[in-house]
């Protein structure tokens, strides 16, 4: 395979990408470097005009298709990044391009392809469905099918990322972490690295739910996955390419898989370093480096991570933000059971100490005990046991749900319901300044004369925090309750007759 690696290196040197692709910066990330204890460089492929490295492979392949493609056109299958690369390259070379995309493709990506001059056809629910439709079209019409990763010219185009890394680096690179789906990028970067710097480790980074290369390496051949987690859709493929697998066997030194929460944490890291929101696939490589550092497997020298793309849908950003702190080990989510009696709420809050609360959900249901769902800011990993011990000492039964997918994905949005019972209930919304300890101040200042029947708070990163709070009034002493709330000094609004509250709370 050594001959093929040097042949691919020659193809990379000769690749025609710069009529359409940019030379992207290799950017030192100082804060990340300090935190991870080694110099960390970001290869900023998110700065391409189509916001992804895919323009390189598409441009190189399209440069060589010649008059046949001019007459018959080209076709491709993609859920986004490859599609935009093909569309942009086809427009540049005056070639018709038809892109087959799954019906599930977000409209923003479909519009982006069409804005670049590509025709789109939505077929099936997955990339595989769209790919088969594209292959059928190519067979029926003579159009040239351009694979997103399993072609030499495409791999060579992606490999120019590796060439630039070694041209731009001022010191020896110990490792390059590469996001990996079909394997085109890691094959190209790896082949170039092994040709010019054999000591540089090439680490393939994959989502845990779409580990095509790791699965293939374990089996000794490409394997079609039964199920693929589409969260990092840019690398969510069911099977690694046959050609790319052959290269990866020789050029990849290790595979690291990461969770979706770890990917979200890496998205946040990249934002803090660059002020750019990348797509989940664009952060997989950094998440893998973080995982290797935690596990003690990362080299001590300079490390490069590929920031492969930034084609993220706006409506996904909120989800990534919500999961980032859990992924970084800086938030824990737990349930707690406390007795349903006056003062128990305050005792529980005091057990939390001065730690910042990120979420607090409770709804009265049982006359004997209350069930709480709580999010808490902690120091990275080290504080979790201390929190659980403090709750145990306060006789609070608690369960750590930080790793529970059901709790993270659904339960935290569903805690609620109607507070049935003979005692009158009123609901208030309270606004307070979002500073450390402010929520605890509010909770401990509440007069214990009234039983709290509902409580919901979530930190949204704004200057003000908002709490929805329900109180039982056995003596209908609403005026006394409002006097007590107003004495705390935070703005208060009654929401008892709010239509949404009446329907659901």
């Amino acid at each position: 395979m050594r001959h093929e690696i040097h042949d691919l290196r020659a193809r990379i040197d000769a690749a025609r990408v710069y009529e359409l692709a940019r030379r992207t910066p290799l950017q030192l990330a100082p804060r990340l470097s300090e935190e991870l204890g080694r110099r960390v460089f970001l290869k900023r492929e998110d700065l391409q005009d189509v916001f992804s490295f895919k323009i390189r492979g598409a441009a190189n392949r399209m440069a060589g298709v010649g008059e046949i493609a001019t007459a018959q056109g080209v076709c491709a299958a993609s859920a986004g990044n490859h599609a935009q690369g093909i569309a942009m390259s086809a427009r540049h070379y005056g070639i018709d391009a038809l892109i087959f995309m799954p019906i599930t493709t977000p409209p923003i990506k479909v519009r982006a392809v069409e804005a670049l001059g590509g025709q789109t056809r939505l077929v099936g629910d997955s990339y595989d469905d769209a790919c088969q439709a594209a292959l059928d079209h190519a067979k029926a019409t003579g159009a040239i099918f351009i694979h997103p990763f399993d072609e030499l010219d495409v791999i060579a185009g992606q490999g120019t990322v590796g060439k630039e890394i070694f041209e731009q680096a001022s010191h020896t690179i110990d490792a390059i972490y590469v996001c990996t789906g079909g394997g085109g990028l890691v094959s190209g970067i790896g082949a170039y690295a092994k040709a010019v710097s054999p000591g540089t480790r090439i680490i393939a980074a994959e989502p845990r739910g779409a580990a095509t290369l790791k699965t293939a390496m374990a089996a000794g051949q490409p394997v079609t996955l039964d199920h693929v987690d589409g969260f990092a859709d840019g690398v969510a493929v069911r099977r690694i390419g046959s050609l790319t697998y052959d290269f990866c066997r020789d050029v990849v030194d290790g595979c690291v898989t990461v969770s979706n929460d770890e990917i979200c944490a890496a998205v946040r890291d990249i934002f803090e370093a660059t002020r750019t929101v990348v797509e989940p696939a664009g952060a997989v490589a950094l998440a893998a480096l973080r995982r290797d550092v935690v596990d003690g497997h990362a080299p001590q020298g300079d490390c490069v991570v590929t920031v492969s793309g930034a084609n993220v849908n706006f409506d996904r950003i909120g989800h990534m933000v919500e999961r980032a702190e859990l992924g970084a080990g800086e938030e824990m989510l737990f349930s707690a059971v406390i007795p349903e009696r006056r003062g128990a709420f305050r005792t529980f809050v005091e057990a939390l100490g001065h730690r910042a609360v990120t979420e607090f959900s409770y709804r009265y249901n049982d006359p004997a005990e209350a069930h709480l769902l709580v999010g808490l800011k902690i120091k990275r990993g080290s504080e979790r046991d201390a929190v659980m011990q403090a709750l145990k000492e306060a006789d609070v039964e608690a369960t750590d749900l930080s790793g529970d997918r059901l709790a993270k994905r659904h339960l935290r949005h569903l805690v609620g319901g109607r507070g049935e019972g003979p005692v009158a209930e009123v609901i208030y919304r309270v606004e307070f300044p979002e500073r450390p300890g402010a929520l605890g101040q509010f909770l401990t200042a509440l007069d214990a004369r009234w039983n709290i029947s509902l409580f919901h708070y979530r930190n949204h990163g704004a200057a003000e925090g908002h709490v929805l709070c329900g109180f039982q009034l056995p003596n209908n002493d609403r005026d006394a309750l409002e006097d007590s709330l107003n004495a705390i000094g935070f703005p208060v609004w009654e929401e008892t007759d709010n239509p949404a509250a009446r329907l659901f709370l």
Side-chain angles (χ1 to χ4, degrees):
M1 191 68 180
R2 303 306 304 173
H3 172 74
E4 287 83 354
I5 289 174
H6 284 279
D7 175 68
L8 179 53
R9 184 265 173 97
R11 285 175 176 267
I12 293 169
D13 283 332
R16 294 175 57 186
V17 302
Y18 295 112
E19 293 177 55
L20 292 162
R22 299 173 180 266
R23 284 178 60 89
T24 56
L26 184 65
Q27 178 180 339
L28 176 67
R31 188 191 65 80
L32 275 171
S33 299
E34 180 179 358
E35 181 182 347
L36 298 181
R38 57 207 19 94
R39 291 208 303 175
V40 178
F41 294 85
L42 310 178
K43 182 55 174 167
R44 297 289 308 280
E45 286 299 291
D46 58 295
L47 297 178
Q48 296 289 355
D49 286 346
V50 297
F51 308 105
S52 165
F53 74 94
K54 288 286 190 177
I55 184 60
R56 296 174 182 266
N60 191 49
R61 179 70 175 94
M62 198 72 73
V65 296
E67 295 181 359
I68 296 176
T70 303
Q72 305 295 336
V74 298
C75 64
S78 171
N81 293 346
H82 178 60
Q84 292 181 64
I86 292 295
M88 185 175 182
S89 301
R91 182 176 66 181
H92 178 78
Y93 288 106
I95 298 171
D96 291 334
L98 177 59
I99 314 297
F100 290 80
M101 311 178 81
I103 293 172
T104 53
T105 303
I108 187 174
K109 294 187 176 183
V110 178
R111 291 194 297 268
V113 172
E114 293 172 345
L116 291 167
Q119 302 176 57
T120 60
R121 189 170 297 175
L122 304 184
V123 178
D125 294 326
S126 67
Y127 165 79
D128 292 319
D129 295 335
C131 186
Q132 187 58 54
L135 289 170
D136 292 343
H137 173 80
K139 184 177 180 180
T141 65
I144 295 177
F145 174 76
I146 299 181
H147 201 281
F149 49 81
D150 212 26
E151 293 188 24
L152 271 176
D153 286 340
V154 172
I155 296 170
Q158 321 299 32
T160 58
V161 175
K163 180 181 180 181
E164 288 179 16
I165 289 172
F166 286 99
E167 290 172 346
Q168 294 166 325
S170 58
H171 296 80
T172 300
I173 300 169
D174 279 32
I176 305 175
Y177 286 75
V178 187
C179 63
T180 302
L185 183 61
V186 72
S187 294
I189 292 177
Y192 196 88
K194 296 307 179 185
V196 303
S197 179
T200 298
R201 289 175 54 81
I202 301 299
I203 307 299
E206 300 182 285
R208 200 163 291 158
T212 56
L213 179 56
K214 185 175 183 179
T215 304
M217 291 290 199
Q221 62 183 359
V223 175
T224 302
L225 302 180
D226 293 331
H227 173 74
V228 171
D229 184 339
F231 176 71
D233 55 332
V235 289
V237 300
R238 300 183 75 90
R239 183 184 179 95
I240 193 134
S242 299
L243 182 59
T244 55
Y245 171 71
D246 288 340
F247 280 114
C248 286
R249 285 187 305 176
D250 271 17
V251 304
V252 171
D253 298 293
C255 297
V256 178
T257 60
V258 292
S259 69
N260 290 348
D261 286 353
E262 289 174 313
I263 293 170
C264 291
V267 170
R268 186 190 68 177
D269 287 336
I270 293 171
F271 174 79
E272 291 179 349
T274 67
R275 297 302 185 267
T276 298
V277 180
V278 300
E279 62 186 282
V284 170
L286 178 57
L289 172 58
R290 270 201 177 279
R291 170 49 47 199
D292 258 4
V293 170
V294 170
D295 293 341
H297 299 152
Q300 289 298 319
D302 291 0
C303 294
V304 173
V305 298
T306 58
V307 182
S308 59
N311 284 303
V312 62
N313 301 323
F314 184 79
D315 56 4
R316 299 192 70 188
I317 295 174
H319 175 77
M320 292 192 295
V321 169
E322 187 171 82
R323 302 286 285 269
E325 290 193 334
L326 284 168
E330 295 173 357
E331 182 188 27
M332 65 180 296
L333 186 69
F334 65 93
S335 66
V337 180
I338 63 175
E340 190 65 84
R341 63 170 183 261
R342 292 176 183 175
F345 226 12
R346 179 177 298 184
T347 300
F348 170 74
V349 172
E350 290 172 349
L352 299 181
H354 295 290
R355 300 177 179 93
V357 176
T358 59
E359 182 165 1
F360 205 126
S361 297
Y362 157 70
R363 186 61 167 125
Y364 175 85
N365 184 60
D366 188 291
E369 59 185 22
H371 294 255
L372 315 177
L373 183 68
V374 183
L376 204 64
K377 272 189 176 293
I378 58 174
K379 296 175 183 177
R380 196 180 289 266
S382 60
E383 202 175 351
R384 192 182 309 272
D385 292 342
V387 171
M388 298 303 287
Q389 181 62 32
L391 293 172
K392 182 178 180 180
E393 292 174 358
D395 292 325
V396 175
E397 178 186 337
T399 303
D400 189 351
L401 299 175
S402 303
D404 189 291
R405 179 174 293 187
L406 177 65
K408 291 185 292 184
R409 184 170 291 175
H410 298 291
L411 185 61
R412 67 193 314 172
H413 302 291
L414 293 175
V415 174
R418 298 180 185 275
E420 304 292 349
V423 180
E425 180 187 53
V426 289
I427 297 174
Y428 290 85
R429 176 167 53 88
V430 182
E431 180 183 290
F432 58 87
E434 193 64 89
R435 61 171 185 264
L439 178 62
Q441 175 189 345
F442 170 71
L443 287 168
T444 54
L446 289 175
D447 195 314
R449 283 182 290 170
W450 296 279
N451 186 51
I452 296 174
S453 54
L454 177 149
F455 198 94
H456 179 262
Y457 160 79
R458 177 68 180 161
N459 185 316
H460 292 286
E464 298 84 23
H466 297 267
V467 164
L468 192 66
C469 202
F471 300 90
Q472 291 181 328
L473 298 179
N475 301 315
N476 288 317
D477 44 359
R478 184 190 302 250
D479 291 341
L481 170 63
E482 291 191 352
D483 288 343
S484 176
L485 290 174
N486 289 328
I488 298 174
F490 298 149
V492 177
W493 297 267
E494 185 177 356
E495 299 284 7
T496 307
D497 294 326
N498 180 295
R502 296 178 67 182
L503 282 168
F504 297 104
L505 301 178

